[in-house]
Structure formats: C-alpha cells, structure tokens
Amino acid sequence: MTNALPPIETLRDACTGIAEEAAREIMRIYAGDLGARDKADKSPVTDADHAAEAVILAGLRKLTPDTVIIAEEEMAAGRVPTLQDGRPFWLVDPLDGTKEFIKRNGEFTVNIALIEGGRPTLGIVLAPATETLWRGARGLGADKREGNGAFETIRTRTPPSHGLTACASRSHAIYSDLDIWFRNNNLTVADRVQAGSSLKFCLIAEGKADIYPRFGPTNEWDTAAAQGVLEAAGGEVVTTDNRPLLYGKPRFSNPHFIARSLAAR
C-alpha cells in the first residue's frame, strides 16, 4: 500500500527548498566551465542540468518515496519509469532554457511540478540568475519572491482595453505564424514580450502579460511547473481545440497550446 502524499502546503514549502538547492548548484557551474555538449537528439545539455537533477531527485525521493518522478535527463538516458494508473507523479526539468544558460543571458529556470489526475496541482519555477521564485498550488493560490524578500501573492490581470501583451519564446519567435493566429481569433495585440523558458507563463501569472501561444514542440517537463503557477494565479493552458493541457501523455510530448489569463480568451 503506497503512502498518501503530504499536505499540499508541506509539499510546496519542501519543493521550494529543493529548487533553491538545485539553483545553488546551477549557479556554481554557471560561474565556471558549463560542460556544454549535445545529447543524442542534438539538443544541448550541461553539467548544470545533471547536477541540478541529482539534487531534485534526491529531495523528491526523500519527500515522497513512493511517487514516480519523470525527469528530463533521466528520460534522455533512457530511464523511463512506468506511471501507475491514476497515481500522482512528479515532472522535473532541472534546467529549462539550457540554450539561454549557455548564452549566459540569465533566462533559465528550475521547474518542479506535481501532477494529479493529469493536472499540475503544484508548480515551482525558480530563476537562479535573478533569484526570483514563483509558486502555485491548488487551493493556495500563487505567489512570488525576489531575492531574500517576502512572498507576495500574484494574480493574472484583465487585459487593458487597447490590446493584449503577448509573450514569445526568445529562441522560437516566429511572428508571422503568431500574427495569423491572432488575426484568425480576433485578438488585438498591443505589445510583445520576449522571454526564455518558463518565464513567459510567469509573466502572465503576475499580470505583466496576457497570452502565450506556442506552436512548436515541447515536452511535458517544459510546461508543467509553469502551468501550475499560472493556473493557481487565475490563468489556464489549453490546446488549440480549447481543451485543458493534460499530463502523462504518450512520450510525454505536448501538442500546440495557448497559455493565457482567463480574461484573454
């Protein structure tokens, strides 16, 4: 018989500490030789990806010994655990935005998400370079902390009357495709913000942007934690046919999706 999970607040606070420990490892490596190289699929990986993932795996296994963990570098190495039908599992991206990390532009994050019933009920997103941490948990809302400051509640906004602020990936900005989609959906975009990794979701969660359509490939560990933050802050992530973006799919691959505040529909 597997043990029940600890209360969501306990998990949130424990995962905050785990993410902070992983961030310290990342910044230690960021200060020196990154150990950058290509994986089998030609995507980049660094020593920081592996060091951060080791910290997170150890922390989560101590916190919830019976809960499956899906982690990016474990998956890349062919260590693919079997999900137990209907059981919660963790999704981990120890360093989302590896390309940004290698460019040393600071736009990379640590991501930890708990999935229950196919939905992210807890999300931790930490940007090590700026010491900014966003958290979201079902029933607890979302909050943000900068440096050694206090956590402050965050919420999505109602877009201004003159139009939406749209997010685009710094590494994947294809404005022509986005422009066509916005026009077809009768959406007026007044401003655009570029950001790497999960930061786009977090900008929407804290009311600094409104919508982020993504029409390229992503994996579940790329989006789960940030979706947890955004949904707890009053937003949503849906597929292009307006269904919730769910987790535990075959090969852990995402379809195209739209992250947005509810008021940006």
Side-chain angles (χ1 to χ4, degrees):
M1 186 74 179
T2 53
N3 297 324
L5 288 171
I8 192 75
E9 188 169 6
T10 301
L11 292 173
R12 182 194 65 181
D13 294 346
C15 287
T16 297
I18 292 169
E20 290 168 339
E21 186 180 351
R24 285 191 290 271
E25 278 295 286
I26 288 170
M27 294 310 291
R28 178 182 62 80
I29 294 167
Y30 195 58
D33 179 8
L34 305 184
R37 53 203 178 274
D38 285 345
K39 290 189 278 196
D41 64 359
K42 301 304 181 186
S43 64
V45 66
T46 71
D47 290 345
D49 295 80
H50 290 287
E53 185 161 299
V55 166
I56 296 168
L57 291 178
L60 293 180
R61 284 169 180 156
K62 183 177 181 181
L63 180 64
T64 56
D66 300 313
T67 303
V68 169
I69 305 170
I70 304 296
E72 181 177 20
E73 302 315 325
E74 288 279 289
M75 295 286 289
R79 293 186 285 272
V80 183
T82 301
L83 295 183
Q84 300 162 319
D85 191 36
R87 297 284 301 167
F89 65 97
W90 295 102
L91 269 170
V92 172
D93 190 343
L95 181 55
D96 183 39
T98 301
K99 291 178 183 177
E100 317 304 335
F101 179 80
I102 292 169
K103 293 174 186 174
R104 297 185 188 268
N105 69 7
E107 294 186 358
F108 48 87
T109 57
V110 177
N111 295 276
I112 302 173
L114 177 66
I115 308 300
E116 298 181 271
R119 306 293 291 264
T121 57
L122 169 64
I124 306 287
V125 178
L126 172 57
T130 61
E131 297 184 337
T132 307
L133 193 150
W134 297 264
R135 310 185 300 184
R138 182 175 292 175
L140 298 178
D143 55 15
K144 174 188 176 182
R145 186 187 70 198
E146 297 185 72
N148 294 320
F151 278 104
E152 297 182 359
T153 300
I154 57 173
R155 291 284 300 174
T156 56
R157 71 176 184 178
T158 299
S161 58
H162 61 274
L164 305 172
T165 294
C167 294
S169 298
R170 190 173 299 284
S171 300
H172 304 93
I174 307 173
Y175 283 168
S176 58
D177 291 351
L178 294 179
D179 289 337
I180 292 167
W181 185 84
F182 286 129
R183 188 166 60 247
N184 289 345
N185 286 275
N186 298 312
L187 296 173
T188 300
V189 175
D191 196 13
R192 299 180 192 263
V193 180
Q194 282 195 336
S197 63
S198 303
L199 299 172
K200 298 172 290 293
F201 291 78
C202 295
L203 289 173
I204 301 169
E206 61 180 283
K208 292 181 178 177
D210 305 295
I211 193 166
Y212 165 43
R214 176 60 190 252
F215 303 138
T218 58
N219 294 306
E220 292 190 359
W221 47 82
D222 296 321
T223 58
Q227 181 174 340
V229 173
L230 177 55
E231 290 183 346
E236 66 179 0
V237 185
V238 296
T239 61
T240 51
D241 56 358
N242 219 35
R243 299 180 184 183
L245 182 63
L246 300 177
Y247 292 84
K249 301 181 291 297
R251 297 183 301 281
F252 300 97
S253 295
N254 287 328
H256 297 171
F257 63 81
I258 300 97
R260 62 193 177 193
S261 69
L262 297 183
R265 288 172 170 167

